[in-house]
Amino acid sequence: MSAIIHNRTYKALPTEQVKNVVVIGGSFGGYQAVKRLTETLPTGYRVVLVEKNSHLNYVFAFPRFSVVKGYEQDAFIPYTGLSKGASEGIFHQVQDTATQVTERFVELKSGEKLEYTYLVIATGTSSKLPSKVASTEIETAQAELRGMQDKIQEAGRIAIVGGGAVGVELASDVKDFYPEKEVTLIHSRAHLLNTFGPRLQNHVAKILTDMDITLRLKERPNMTSQSNVLHFASGEQKQYDLIVRKLC
């Protein structure tokens, strides 16, 4: 109800009379911040989203879309939903990268300077596939996912290094959709998902073992740059068709 009332009472003003509330980063935290601000900012203010990607990346689904073919387009959501139903003039989106923040301005890679009254920094984290894509445009981002799909499909023996949420999801999805593949999940800690509780850790370990996924815990293998061979602390060396590294 408050959002409906706000929509009816907010009045658009000329740009030079409006103060900016700048949000840097349009992933889940930034998206929700912008959505809430479009429903609450008083007349005289607007929210400006600075986001390098053309679409919101649904990163929680990237591990699965890195395995399963034909659905990668569903991982990229247009930002048009933020302006739908919002008051005229309250929302503005800039596809760019913030390079510097001063006390008054956000400087962008394009050279533009955005003056702000309030600033929200929601830049998130950095990672690589299958956690995140490097591309900022939807076409090339989907191509990255398809490239990972092809690598997984072609590999018979796969090692996944990192037993956090992404590693666990990737290992289970690979084995679920390609049960004939040999999948090994390697983790440096004594338990998978080490930031979670023991009940979940034990449950996940049992499920993965039942799926015939090999678990190698308390291991930090080394890999030479010119091979797919992992060198374990015991001196054992094992070659894989594909090694996916540094997953959390």
Side-chain angles (χ1 to χ4, degrees):
M1 288 298 297
S2 62
I4 295 173
I5 295 171
H6 173 269
N7 187 269
R8 293 180 177 178
T9 58
Y10 182 89
K11 303 298 182 183
L13 298 178
T15 303
E16 61 272 13
Q17 298 180 23
V18 176
K19 297 179 180 179
N20 290 329
V21 179
V22 176
V23 178
I24 303 177
S27 191
F28 293 93
Y31 187 99
Q32 290 300 323
V34 171
K35 184 66 175 174
R36 183 60 176 157
L37 287 166
T38 61
E39 298 171 348
T40 57
L41 283 178
T43 295
Y45 290 84
R46 69 170 181 171
V47 57
V48 180
L49 172 63
V50 178
E51 167 56 49
K52 66 179 180 179
N53 294 317
S54 63
H55 291 62
L56 186 148
N57 293 358
Y58 197 79
V59 293
F60 296 129
F62 276 9
R64 173 156 294 193
F65 291 140
S66 295
V67 178
V68 185
K69 291 178 176 285
Y71 297 92
E72 57 275 2
Q73 69 279 356
D74 297 332
F76 303 93
I77 304 169
Y79 283 105
T80 51
L82 286 171
S83 58
K84 185 178 181 181
S87 302
E88 180 182 356
I90 199 170
F91 171 69
H92 179 61
Q93 180 186 352
V94 178
Q95 186 182 351
D96 208 333
T97 301
T99 57
Q100 186 176 352
V101 174
T102 69
E103 291 185 358
R104 291 185 56 200
F105 295 95
V106 175
E107 299 183 10
L108 304 180
K109 188 176 181 180
S110 62
E112 182 182 358
K113 290 185 178 181
L114 288 173
E115 186 175 6
Y116 68 87
T117 303
Y118 297 98
L119 177 65
V120 178
I121 298 178
T123 50
T125 61
S126 61
S127 188
K128 60 181 182 180
L129 271 178
S131 297
K132 296 183 179 180
V133 295
S135 303
T136 59
E137 301 298 329
I138 185 171
E139 293 81 6
T140 47
Q142 289 183 60
E144 285 188 53
L145 289 175
R146 287 192 289 269
M148 179 63 76
Q149 293 166 8
D150 292 340
K151 290 179 181 179
I152 290 173
Q153 185 179 44
E154 294 167 2
R157 180 180 293 173
I158 300 172
I160 298 167
V161 183
V166 175
V168 166
E169 182 178 353
L170 183 67
S172 58
D173 281 343
V174 171
K175 194 64 177 180
D176 189 28
F177 288 93
Y178 297 103
E180 74 283 359
K181 296 185 184 298
E182 179 184 321
V183 179
T184 300
L185 180 58
I186 304 165
H187 192 50
S188 61
R189 307 294 184 90
H191 302 280
L192 300 172
L193 301 172
N194 48 276
T195 58
F196 296 83
R199 288 183 60 189
L200 180 60
Q201 293 168 350
N202 295 334
H203 176 72
V204 168
K206 181 180 184 305
I207 293 297
L208 296 181
T209 301
D210 290 345
M211 293 178 71
D212 198 27
I213 295 172
T214 301
L215 302 181
R216 300 194 67 153
L217 304 177
K218 295 193 288 187
E219 291 278 10
R220 290 182 180 271
N222 294 316
M223 181 178 71
T224 57
S225 59
Q226 298 179 344
S227 71
N228 276 350
V229 177
L230 289 180
H231 302 260
F232 295 93
S234 63
E236 178 188 359
Q237 299 181 20
K238 190 165 183 177
Q239 184 168 7
Y240 297 90
D241 301 317
L242 175 65
I243 299 174
V244 184
R245 295 174 59 86
K246 296 183 179 178
L247 299 184
C248 58

PDB file of all heavy atoms in Angstrom, residues 130-163:
ATOM      1  N   PRO A 130      32.408 -21.777 -13.138  1.00  0.00           N
ATOM      2  CA  PRO A 130      30.960 -21.652 -13.313  1.00  0.00           C
ATOM      3  C   PRO A 130      30.268 -20.755 -12.307  1.00  0.00           C
ATOM      4  O   PRO A 130      29.038 -20.803 -12.198  1.00  0.00           O
ATOM      5  CB  PRO A 130      30.488 -23.098 -13.168  1.00  0.00           C
ATOM      6  CG  PRO A 130      31.422 -23.657 -12.158  1.00  0.00           C
ATOM      7  CD  PRO A 130      32.756 -23.029 -12.434  1.00  0.00           C
ATOM      8  N   SER A 131      31.013 -19.934 -11.571  1.00  0.00           N
ATOM      9  CA  SER A 131      30.380 -19.001 -10.634  1.00  0.00           C
ATOM     10  C   SER A 131      29.844 -17.771 -11.355  1.00  0.00           C
ATOM     11  O   SER A 131      28.711 -17.359 -11.134  1.00  0.00           O
ATOM     12  CB  SER A 131      31.385 -18.560  -9.565  1.00  0.00           C
ATOM     13  OG  SER A 131      31.815 -19.639  -8.794  1.00  0.00           O
ATOM     14  N   LYS A 132      30.667 -17.167 -12.202  1.00  0.00           N
ATOM     15  CA  LYS A 132      30.278 -15.951 -12.903  1.00  0.00           C
ATOM     16  C   LYS A 132      30.889 -15.934 -14.294  1.00  0.00           C
ATOM     17  O   LYS A 132      31.892 -16.594 -14.554  1.00  0.00           O
ATOM     18  CB  LYS A 132      30.734 -14.719 -12.114  1.00  0.00           C
ATOM     19  CG  LYS A 132      30.066 -14.575 -10.748  1.00  0.00           C
ATOM     20  CD  LYS A 132      30.505 -13.300 -10.059  1.00  0.00           C
ATOM     21  CE  LYS A 132      29.811 -13.159  -8.711  1.00  0.00           C
ATOM     22  NZ  LYS A 132      30.202 -11.925  -8.008  1.00  0.00           N
ATOM     23  N   VAL A 133      30.273 -15.155 -15.174  1.00  0.00           N
ATOM     24  CA  VAL A 133      30.818 -14.965 -16.515  1.00  0.00           C
ATOM     25  C   VAL A 133      31.607 -13.662 -16.549  1.00  0.00           C
ATOM     26  O   VAL A 133      31.390 -12.772 -15.736  1.00  0.00           O
ATOM     27  CB  VAL A 133      29.701 -14.945 -17.578  1.00  0.00           C
ATOM     28  CG1 VAL A 133      29.007 -16.294 -17.659  1.00  0.00           C
ATOM     29  CG2 VAL A 133      28.684 -13.846 -17.281  1.00  0.00           C
ATOM     30  N   ALA A 134      32.506 -13.572 -17.516  1.00  0.00           N
ATOM     31  CA  ALA A 134      33.300 -12.354 -17.667  1.00  0.00           C
ATOM     32  C   ALA A 134      32.612 -11.333 -18.560  1.00  0.00           C
ATOM     33  O   ALA A 134      32.825 -10.129 -18.419  1.00  0.00           O
ATOM     34  CB  ALA A 134      34.673 -12.698 -18.242  1.00  0.00           C
ATOM     35  N   SER A 135      31.763 -11.796 -19.459  1.00  0.00           N
ATOM     36  CA  SER A 135      31.120 -10.924 -20.432  1.00  0.00           C
ATOM     37  C   SER A 135      30.058 -10.041 -19.785  1.00  0.00           C
ATOM     38  O   SER A 135      29.386 -10.452 -18.846  1.00  0.00           O
ATOM     39  CB  SER A 135      30.469 -11.758 -21.537  1.00  0.00           C
ATOM     40  OG  SER A 135      31.412 -12.601 -22.165  1.00  0.00           O
ATOM     41  N   THR A 136      29.908  -8.848 -20.323  1.00  0.00           N
ATOM     42  CA  THR A 136      28.898  -7.912 -19.818  1.00  0.00           C
ATOM     43  C   THR A 136      27.650  -7.875 -20.689  1.00  0.00           C
ATOM     44  O   THR A 136      26.640  -7.294 -20.280  1.00  0.00           O
ATOM     45  CB  THR A 136      29.478  -6.500 -19.722  1.00  0.00           C
ATOM     46  OG1 THR A 136      29.918  -6.075 -21.025  1.00  0.00           O
ATOM     47  CG2 THR A 136      30.653  -6.465 -18.760  1.00  0.00           C
ATOM     48  N   GLU A 137      27.692  -8.477 -21.867  1.00  0.00           N
ATOM     49  CA  GLU A 137      26.548  -8.490 -22.779  1.00  0.00           C
ATOM     50  C   GLU A 137      25.958  -9.889 -22.846  1.00  0.00           C
ATOM     51  O   GLU A 137      26.674 -10.895 -22.758  1.00  0.00           O
ATOM     52  CB  GLU A 137      26.961  -8.030 -24.176  1.00  0.00           C
ATOM     53  CG  GLU A 137      27.553  -6.633 -24.218  1.00  0.00           C
ATOM     54  CD  GLU A 137      26.574  -5.556 -23.769  1.00  0.00           C
ATOM     55  OE1 GLU A 137      25.359  -5.725 -23.986  1.00  0.00           O
ATOM     56  OE2 GLU A 137      27.031  -4.548 -23.199  1.00  0.00           O
ATOM     57  N   ILE A 138      24.654  -9.978 -23.046  1.00  0.00           N
ATOM     58  CA  ILE A 138      23.938 -11.238 -22.919  1.00  0.00           C
ATOM     59  C   ILE A 138      24.394 -12.275 -23.950  1.00  0.00           C
ATOM     60  O   ILE A 138      24.508 -13.457 -23.637  1.00  0.00           O
ATOM     61  CB  ILE A 138      22.408 -11.007 -23.008  1.00  0.00           C
ATOM     62  CG1 ILE A 138      21.652 -12.311 -22.739  1.00  0.00           C
ATOM     63  CG2 ILE A 138      22.012 -10.365 -24.323  1.00  0.00           C
ATOM     64  CD1 ILE A 138      20.165 -12.126 -22.599  1.00  0.00           C
ATOM     65  N   GLU A 139      24.666 -11.850 -25.174  1.00  0.00           N
ATOM     66  CA  GLU A 139      25.023 -12.814 -26.216  1.00  0.00           C
ATOM     67  C   GLU A 139      26.346 -13.509 -25.903  1.00  0.00           C
ATOM     68  O   GLU A 139      26.450 -14.734 -25.972  1.00  0.00           O
ATOM     69  CB  GLU A 139      25.099 -12.127 -27.590  1.00  0.00           C
ATOM     70  CG  GLU A 139      23.773 -11.620 -28.123  1.00  0.00           C
ATOM     71  CD  GLU A 139      23.360 -10.283 -27.550  1.00  0.00           C
ATOM     72  OE1 GLU A 139      24.175  -9.671 -26.804  1.00  0.00           O
ATOM     73  OE2 GLU A 139      22.232  -9.835 -27.834  1.00  0.00           O
ATOM     74  N   THR A 140      27.366 -12.734 -25.547  1.00  0.00           N
ATOM     75  CA  THR A 140      28.676 -13.322 -25.270  1.00  0.00           C
ATOM     76  C   THR A 140      28.678 -14.055 -23.925  1.00  0.00           C
ATOM     77  O   THR A 140      29.416 -15.025 -23.742  1.00  0.00           O
ATOM     78  CB  THR A 140      29.768 -12.246 -25.290  1.00  0.00           C
ATOM     79  OG1 THR A 140      29.340 -11.117 -24.509  1.00  0.00           O
ATOM     80  CG2 THR A 140      30.046 -11.784 -26.714  1.00  0.00           C
ATOM     81  N   ALA A 141      27.842 -13.600 -22.986  1.00  0.00           N
ATOM     82  CA  ALA A 141      27.742 -14.290 -21.705  1.00  0.00           C
ATOM     83  C   ALA A 141      27.139 -15.687 -21.889  1.00  0.00           C
ATOM     84  O   ALA A 141      27.615 -16.670 -21.306  1.00  0.00           O
ATOM     85  CB  ALA A 141      26.897 -13.476 -20.732  1.00  0.00           C
ATOM     86  N   GLN A 142      26.115 -15.786 -22.717  1.00  0.00           N
ATOM     87  CA  GLN A 142      25.541 -17.100 -23.006  1.00  0.00           C
ATOM     88  C   GLN A 142      26.556 -17.990 -23.722  1.00  0.00           C
ATOM     89  O   GLN A 142      26.606 -19.203 -23.485  1.00  0.00           O
ATOM     90  CB  GLN A 142      24.291 -16.942 -23.876  1.00  0.00           C
ATOM     91  CG  GLN A 142      23.110 -16.338 -23.146  1.00  0.00           C
ATOM     92  CD  GLN A 142      21.878 -16.262 -24.014  1.00  0.00           C
ATOM     93  OE1 GLN A 142      21.370 -17.276 -24.493  1.00  0.00           O
ATOM     94  NE2 GLN A 142      21.380 -15.054 -24.233  1.00  0.00           N
ATOM     95  N   ALA A 143      27.366 -17.388 -24.585  1.00  0.00           N
ATOM     96  CA  ALA A 143      28.393 -18.162 -25.291  1.00  0.00           C
ATOM     97  C   ALA A 143      29.408 -18.742 -24.311  1.00  0.00           C
ATOM     98  O   ALA A 143      29.898 -19.861 -24.497  1.00  0.00           O
ATOM     99  CB  ALA A 143      29.096 -17.287 -26.330  1.00  0.00           C
ATOM    100  N   GLU A 144      29.735 -18.002 -23.242  1.00  0.00           N
ATOM    101  CA  GLU A 144      30.641 -18.528 -22.211  1.00  0.00           C
ATOM    102  C   GLU A 144      30.050 -19.777 -21.559  1.00  0.00           C
ATOM    103  O   GLU A 144      30.749 -20.773 -21.350  1.00  0.00           O
ATOM    104  CB  GLU A 144      30.901 -17.470 -21.153  1.00  0.00           C
ATOM    105  CG  GLU A 144      31.850 -16.372 -21.577  1.00  0.00           C
ATOM    106  CD  GLU A 144      32.212 -15.469 -20.404  1.00  0.00           C
ATOM    107  OE1 GLU A 144      32.650 -16.004 -19.358  1.00  0.00           O
ATOM    108  OE2 GLU A 144      32.033 -14.247 -20.522  1.00  0.00           O
ATOM    109  N   LEU A 145      28.768 -19.726 -21.221  1.00  0.00           N
ATOM    110  CA  LEU A 145      28.131 -20.887 -20.603  1.00  0.00           C
ATOM    111  C   LEU A 145      28.117 -22.075 -21.563  1.00  0.00           C
ATOM    112  O   LEU A 145      28.369 -23.218 -21.153  1.00  0.00           O
ATOM    113  CB  LEU A 145      26.701 -20.533 -20.177  1.00  0.00           C
ATOM    114  CG  LEU A 145      26.567 -19.578 -18.994  1.00  0.00           C
ATOM    115  CD1 LEU A 145      25.106 -19.211 -18.763  1.00  0.00           C
ATOM    116  CD2 LEU A 145      27.149 -20.184 -17.723  1.00  0.00           C
ATOM    117  N   ARG A 146      27.836 -21.806 -22.833  1.00  0.00           N
ATOM    118  CA  ARG A 146      27.839 -22.898 -23.811  1.00  0.00           C
ATOM    119  C   ARG A 146      29.231 -23.494 -23.969  1.00  0.00           C
ATOM    120  O   ARG A 146      29.386 -24.703 -24.183  1.00  0.00           O
ATOM    121  CB  ARG A 146      27.301 -22.402 -25.158  1.00  0.00           C
ATOM    122  CG  ARG A 146      25.790 -22.160 -25.157  1.00  0.00           C
ATOM    123  CD  ARG A 146      25.256 -21.957 -26.560  1.00  0.00           C
ATOM    124  NE  ARG A 146      25.681 -20.684 -27.118  1.00  0.00           N
ATOM    125  CZ  ARG A 146      24.991 -19.544 -27.016  1.00  0.00           C
ATOM    126  NH1 ARG A 146      23.840 -19.537 -26.365  1.00  0.00           N
ATOM    127  NH2 ARG A 146      25.447 -18.440 -27.566  1.00  0.00           N
ATOM    128  N   GLY A 147      30.260 -22.656 -23.867  1.00  0.00           N
ATOM    129  CA  GLY A 147      31.617 -23.170 -23.938  1.00  0.00           C
ATOM    130  C   GLY A 147      31.930 -24.119 -22.797  1.00  0.00           C
ATOM    131  O   GLY A 147      32.565 -25.166 -22.993  1.00  0.00           O
ATOM    132  N   MET A 148      31.490 -23.778 -21.586  1.00  0.00           N
ATOM    133  CA  MET A 148      31.686 -24.668 -20.445  1.00  0.00           C
ATOM    134  C   MET A 148      30.869 -25.947 -20.605  1.00  0.00           C
ATOM    135  O   MET A 148      31.336 -27.046 -20.279  1.00  0.00           O
ATOM    136  CB  MET A 148      31.300 -23.950 -19.151  1.00  0.00           C
ATOM    137  CG  MET A 148      31.437 -24.806 -17.900  1.00  0.00           C
ATOM    138  SD  MET A 148      33.135 -25.355 -17.551  1.00  0.00           S
ATOM    139  CE  MET A 148      33.852 -23.840 -16.903  1.00  0.00           C
ATOM    140  N   GLN A 149      29.668 -25.834 -21.137  1.00  0.00           N
ATOM    141  CA  GLN A 149      28.845 -27.016 -21.395  1.00  0.00           C
ATOM    142  C   GLN A 149      29.578 -27.993 -22.319  1.00  0.00           C
ATOM    143  O   GLN A 149      29.579 -29.213 -22.084  1.00  0.00           O
ATOM    144  CB  GLN A 149      27.519 -26.610 -22.034  1.00  0.00           C
ATOM    145  CG  GLN A 149      26.588 -25.812 -21.140  1.00  0.00           C
ATOM    146  CD  GLN A 149      25.466 -25.160 -21.926  1.00  0.00           C
ATOM    147  OE1 GLN A 149      25.292 -25.413 -23.122  1.00  0.00           O
ATOM    148  NE2 GLN A 149      24.698 -24.306 -21.267  1.00  0.00           N
ATOM    149  N   ASP A 150      30.184 -27.464 -23.367  1.00  0.00           N
ATOM    150  CA  ASP A 150      30.897 -28.307 -24.328  1.00  0.00           C
ATOM    151  C   ASP A 150      32.095 -29.000 -23.675  1.00  0.00           C
ATOM    152  O   ASP A 150      32.353 -30.183 -23.920  1.00  0.00           O
ATOM    153  CB  ASP A 150      31.356 -27.481 -25.528  1.00  0.00           C
ATOM    154  CG  ASP A 150      30.195 -26.987 -26.380  1.00  0.00           C
ATOM    155  OD1 ASP A 150      29.100 -27.571 -26.275  1.00  0.00           O
ATOM    156  OD2 ASP A 150      30.383 -26.006 -27.133  1.00  0.00           O
ATOM    157  N   LYS A 151      32.839 -28.262 -22.861  1.00  0.00           N
ATOM    158  CA  LYS A 151      33.997 -28.853 -22.196  1.00  0.00           C
ATOM    159  C   LYS A 151      33.575 -30.006 -21.291  1.00  0.00           C
ATOM    160  O   LYS A 151      34.218 -31.065 -21.257  1.00  0.00           O
ATOM    161  CB  LYS A 151      34.737 -27.798 -21.382  1.00  0.00           C
ATOM    162  CG  LYS A 151      35.463 -26.757 -22.213  1.00  0.00           C
ATOM    163  CD  LYS A 151      36.155 -25.730 -21.306  1.00  0.00           C
ATOM    164  CE  LYS A 151      36.859 -24.664 -22.117  1.00  0.00           C
ATOM    165  NZ  LYS A 151      37.517 -23.656 -21.239  1.00  0.00           N
ATOM    166  N   ILE A 152      32.503 -29.809 -20.535  1.00  0.00           N
ATOM    167  CA  ILE A 152      32.033 -30.852 -19.624  1.00  0.00           C
ATOM    168  C   ILE A 152      31.508 -32.044 -20.408  1.00  0.00           C
ATOM    169  O   ILE A 152      31.761 -33.206 -20.048  1.00  0.00           O
ATOM    170  CB  ILE A 152      30.951 -30.277 -18.695  1.00  0.00           C
ATOM    171  CG1 ILE A 152      31.599 -29.301 -17.700  1.00  0.00           C
ATOM    172  CG2 ILE A 152      30.207 -31.385 -17.948  1.00  0.00           C
ATOM    173  CD1 ILE A 152      30.626 -28.546 -16.833  1.00  0.00           C
ATOM    174  N   GLN A 153      30.797 -31.785 -21.495  1.00  0.00           N
ATOM    175  CA  GLN A 153      30.258 -32.877 -22.292  1.00  0.00           C
ATOM    176  C   GLN A 153      31.364 -33.730 -22.906  1.00  0.00           C
ATOM    177  O   GLN A 153      31.242 -34.961 -22.996  1.00  0.00           O
ATOM    178  CB  GLN A 153      29.355 -32.322 -23.398  1.00  0.00           C
ATOM    179  CG  GLN A 153      28.635 -33.400 -24.214  1.00  0.00           C
ATOM    180  CD  GLN A 153      27.739 -32.799 -25.274  1.00  0.00           C
ATOM    181  OE1 GLN A 153      28.119 -31.859 -25.972  1.00  0.00           O
ATOM    182  NE2 GLN A 153      26.533 -33.321 -25.394  1.00  0.00           N
ATOM    183  N   GLU A 154      32.451 -33.106 -23.296  1.00  0.00           N
ATOM    184  CA  GLU A 154      33.537 -33.826 -23.975  1.00  0.00           C
ATOM    185  C   GLU A 154      34.461 -34.557 -23.009  1.00  0.00           C
ATOM    186  O   GLU A 154      35.189 -35.472 -23.409  1.00  0.00           O
ATOM    187  CB  GLU A 154      34.348 -32.838 -24.814  1.00  0.00           C
ATOM    188  CG  GLU A 154      33.558 -32.230 -25.974  1.00  0.00           C
ATOM    189  CD  GLU A 154      34.251 -31.035 -26.590  1.00  0.00           C
ATOM    190  OE1 GLU A 154      35.381 -30.713 -26.130  1.00  0.00           O
ATOM    191  OE2 GLU A 154      33.667 -30.408 -27.495  1.00  0.00           O
ATOM    192  N   ALA A 155      34.458 -34.164 -21.739  1.00  0.00           N
ATOM    193  CA  ALA A 155      35.400 -34.750 -20.773  1.00  0.00           C
ATOM    194  C   ALA A 155      34.824 -36.021 -20.156  1.00  0.00           C
ATOM    195  O   ALA A 155      33.652 -36.081 -19.792  1.00  0.00           O
ATOM    196  CB  ALA A 155      35.715 -33.742 -19.681  1.00  0.00           C
ATOM    197  N   GLY A 156      35.671 -37.032 -20.018  1.00  0.00           N
ATOM    198  CA  GLY A 156      35.249 -38.267 -19.361  1.00  0.00           C
ATOM    199  C   GLY A 156      35.624 -38.304 -17.892  1.00  0.00           C
ATOM    200  O   GLY A 156      34.920 -38.891 -17.072  1.00  0.00           O
ATOM    201  N   ARG A 157      36.743 -37.661 -17.554  1.00  0.00           N
ATOM    202  CA  ARG A 157      37.241 -37.646 -16.177  1.00  0.00           C
ATOM    203  C   ARG A 157      37.383 -36.187 -15.748  1.00  0.00           C
ATOM    204  O   ARG A 157      38.175 -35.442 -16.307  1.00  0.00           O
ATOM    205  CB  ARG A 157      38.581 -38.369 -16.099  1.00  0.00           C
ATOM    206  CG  ARG A 157      39.193 -38.411 -14.708  1.00  0.00           C
ATOM    207  CD  ARG A 157      40.517 -39.135 -14.730  1.00  0.00           C
ATOM    208  NE  ARG A 157      40.346 -40.554 -15.024  1.00  0.00           N
ATOM    209  CZ  ARG A 157      41.360 -41.398 -15.226  1.00  0.00           C
ATOM    210  NH1 ARG A 157      42.611 -40.951 -15.177  1.00  0.00           N
ATOM    211  NH2 ARG A 157      41.123 -42.664 -15.475  1.00  0.00           N
ATOM    212  N   ILE A 158      36.603 -35.782 -14.743  1.00  0.00           N
ATOM    213  CA  ILE A 158      36.510 -34.377 -14.361  1.00  0.00           C
ATOM    214  C   ILE A 158      36.881 -34.215 -12.895  1.00  0.00           C
ATOM    215  O   ILE A 158      36.379 -34.943 -12.032  1.00  0.00           O
ATOM    216  CB  ILE A 158      35.082 -33.835 -14.590  1.00  0.00           C
ATOM    217  CG1 ILE A 158      34.698 -33.965 -16.076  1.00  0.00           C
ATOM    218  CG2 ILE A 158      34.964 -32.383 -14.131  1.00  0.00           C
ATOM    219  CD1 ILE A 158      33.254 -33.632 -16.364  1.00  0.00           C
ATOM    220  N   ALA A 159      37.761 -33.249 -12.615  1.00  0.00           N
ATOM    221  CA  ALA A 159      38.113 -32.893 -11.240  1.00  0.00           C
ATOM    222  C   ALA A 159      37.597 -31.491 -10.956  1.00  0.00           C
ATOM    223  O   ALA A 159      37.798 -30.572 -11.750  1.00  0.00           O
ATOM    224  CB  ALA A 159      39.619 -32.946 -11.033  1.00  0.00           C
ATOM    225  N   ILE A 160      36.921 -31.339  -9.827  1.00  0.00           N
ATOM    226  CA  ILE A 160      36.410 -30.048  -9.390  1.00  0.00           C
ATOM    227  C   ILE A 160      37.115 -29.703  -8.090  1.00  0.00           C
ATOM    228  O   ILE A 160      37.006 -30.433  -7.100  1.00  0.00           O
ATOM    229  CB  ILE A 160      34.888 -30.110  -9.200  1.00  0.00           C
ATOM    230  CG1 ILE A 160      34.215 -30.438 -10.544  1.00  0.00           C
ATOM    231  CG2 ILE A 160      34.359 -28.799  -8.631  1.00  0.00           C
ATOM    232  CD1 ILE A 160      32.766 -30.828 -10.421  1.00  0.00           C
ATOM    233  N   VAL A 161      37.863 -28.598  -8.097  1.00  0.00           N
ATOM    234  CA  VAL A 161      38.667 -28.220  -6.942  1.00  0.00           C
ATOM    235  C   VAL A 161      37.948 -27.103  -6.187  1.00  0.00           C
ATOM    236  O   VAL A 161      37.817 -25.981  -6.680  1.00  0.00           O
ATOM    237  CB  VAL A 161      40.074 -27.753  -7.369  1.00  0.00           C
ATOM    238  CG1 VAL A 161      40.915 -27.423  -6.143  1.00  0.00           C
ATOM    239  CG2 VAL A 161      40.753 -28.825  -8.222  1.00  0.00           C
ATOM    240  N   GLY A 162      37.478 -27.422  -4.995  1.00  0.00           N
ATOM    241  CA  GLY A 162      36.723 -26.466  -4.186  1.00  0.00           C
ATOM    242  C   GLY A 162      35.374 -27.038  -3.814  1.00  0.00           C
ATOM    243  O   GLY A 162      34.513 -27.214  -4.677  1.00  0.00           O
ATOM    244  N   GLY A 163      35.183 -27.341  -2.545  1.00  0.00           N
ATOM    245  CA  GLY A 163      33.973 -28.004  -2.090  1.00  0.00           C
ATOM    246  C   GLY A 163      33.017 -27.088  -1.359  1.00  0.00           C
ATOM    247  O   GLY A 163      32.374 -27.514  -0.390  1.00  0.00           O
TER     248      GLY A 163
END
